[in-house]
Amino acid sequence: MTKLLNTRRFLPLFITQFLGAFNDNMFKNALVMFITYKLASHVEGNAQILVTLAAALFILPYFLFSSLAGQMADKYDRAFMARATKLWECVIVCIAAAGFYIGNVYFLLFVLFCLGVQATFFGPIKYALLPQHLHANELLSGNGYIEAGTFLAILIGTISGGILIMQEGGTHFIAFVMIAVALLGYTSSRYISEAPPPMPTLIINWNIARETWRMMQYDRKTPRVWRSILGISWFWFVGATFLSQFPSFAKNTIGGDETVVTFFLALFSVGVGTGAMLCN
């Protein structure tokens, strides 16, 4: 398995997705902690509702734009698309830094939604590049590395976001780290090997609802694919539900501080990462 990490076919992609997952989750957890422990008595509305809304806003783009993202990953060079999405991330984190500076929680929620959109378009690229750059006998190892790396990044990003935002001047630390990580991610994406599109003549269907329904109907024709999709979706539904409630549960039910929230999130991330590696 370690041979993959020494190849240009895999290492730049692994680093790119790792840094992206780190940035997304550092910002998301920093925002959740910001709302729960710093703005709870100042924001208009219930802080618990805003925390749940934050989780929903990050996941919503996956439901809305996945069909469009998949089509674009088939039509355009995937290495080019990876670089484009990372450049997009650089712009978004600069806007996030401005959001922390003005301290407007609703503006920061909008930025979180934008990061979710960016992650949605990078997702199909990440997984489509694996069979394009790896040999058949390397796919399971490559996928295990990607999953384990993703949740390790989630773990480190979540812990970093929780720790940094609670420091004096924490918003400045978060802004600086996010911008630096985004730039590193874009740099690593420049080294991803070219990946010609399999369907360059594809005509993109911009009707998101119709295309999503068409893809679901197509997948249902192959039971093993359809059941896999349902299983993965159920896992994320349950996991996202628990993850979104950890901050409020830790503060209001257990009476713990931000370290308790981080501990819960860390256990979840370590569990998924361990499972991904054991699959191989």
Side-chain angles (χ1 to χ4, degrees), residues 65-280:
F65 304 117
S66 286
S67 62
L68 180 59
Q71 291 179 85
M72 296 184 72
D74 284 338
K75 183 176 178 64
Y76 302 108
D77 184 287
R78 289 157 180 173
F80 167 79
M81 287 293 296
R83 290 189 281 272
T85 57
K86 300 313 288 185
L87 191 60
W88 183 2
E89 181 185 341
C90 292
V91 175
I92 295 173
V93 296
C94 290
I95 298 174
F100 274 124
Y101 179 76
I102 63 178
N104 188 311
V105 66
Y106 298 103
F107 181 78
L108 289 170
L109 287 172
F110 170 73
V111 173
L112 182 62
F113 175 81
C114 292
L115 277 176
V117 174
Q118 183 269 333
T120 299
F121 279 84
F122 182 72
I125 298 167
K126 172 176 68 176
Y127 289 111
L129 281 170
L130 289 177
Q132 198 162 7
H133 285 165
L134 303 185
H135 303 305
N137 62 345
E138 296 174 325
L139 280 176
L140 198 58
S141 297
N143 189 64
Y145 265 129
I146 289 291
E147 287 299 306
T150 297
F151 280 90
L152 179 61
I154 290 174
L155 171 61
I156 299 174
T158 297
I159 293 174
S160 301
I163 292 175
L164 291 177
I165 197 64
M166 300 306 293
Q167 304 301 314
E168 186 70 28
T171 54
H172 301 295
F173 292 133
I174 291 291
F176 174 78
V177 173
M178 284 187 68
I179 293 173
V181 171
L183 290 173
L184 287 173
Y186 174 72
T187 302
S188 64
S189 72
R190 302 288 303 177
Y191 292 92
I192 296 176
S193 301
E194 298 303 311
M199 303 174 65
T201 59
L202 175 69
I203 299 176
I204 294 179
N205 183 0
W206 296 96
N207 188 321
I208 297 172
R210 181 186 301 169
E211 182 62 20
T212 300
W213 177 255
R214 187 196 67 79
M215 292 175 63
M216 290 175 63
Q217 293 299 104
Y218 178 81
D219 291 333
R220 289 184 66 180
K221 295 178 182 178
T222 308
R224 61 181 179 177
V225 172
W226 179 244
R227 290 168 187 161
S228 297
I229 292 173
L230 291 179
I232 293 170
S233 300
W234 176 255
F235 165 78
W236 279 112
F237 170 75
V238 175
T241 301
F242 274 93
L243 291 175
S244 67
Q245 298 306 313
F246 280 157
S248 298
F249 177 72
K251 180 184 180 183
N252 301 324
T253 303
I254 298 180
D257 59 13
E258 65 275 9
T259 58
V260 179
V261 182
T262 303
F263 178 68
F264 279 137
L265 296 173
L267 286 177
F268 183 87
S269 300
V270 170
V272 176
T274 302
M277 297 303 293
L278 289 176
C279 278
N280 189 65

Side-chain angles (χ1 to χ4, degrees), residues 53-66:
L53 179 62
L57 285 175
F58 186 74
I59 295 296
L60 181 61
Y62 286 89
F63 175 72
L64 294 178
F65 304 117
S66 286

Side-chain angles (χ1 to χ4, degrees), residues 1-8 10-12 14 145:
M1 292 177 66
T2 54
K3 292 180 180 179
L4 282 178
L5 293 176
N6 297 323
T7 65
R8 183 175 175 179
F10 183 75
L11 182 60
F14 178 82
Y145 265 129

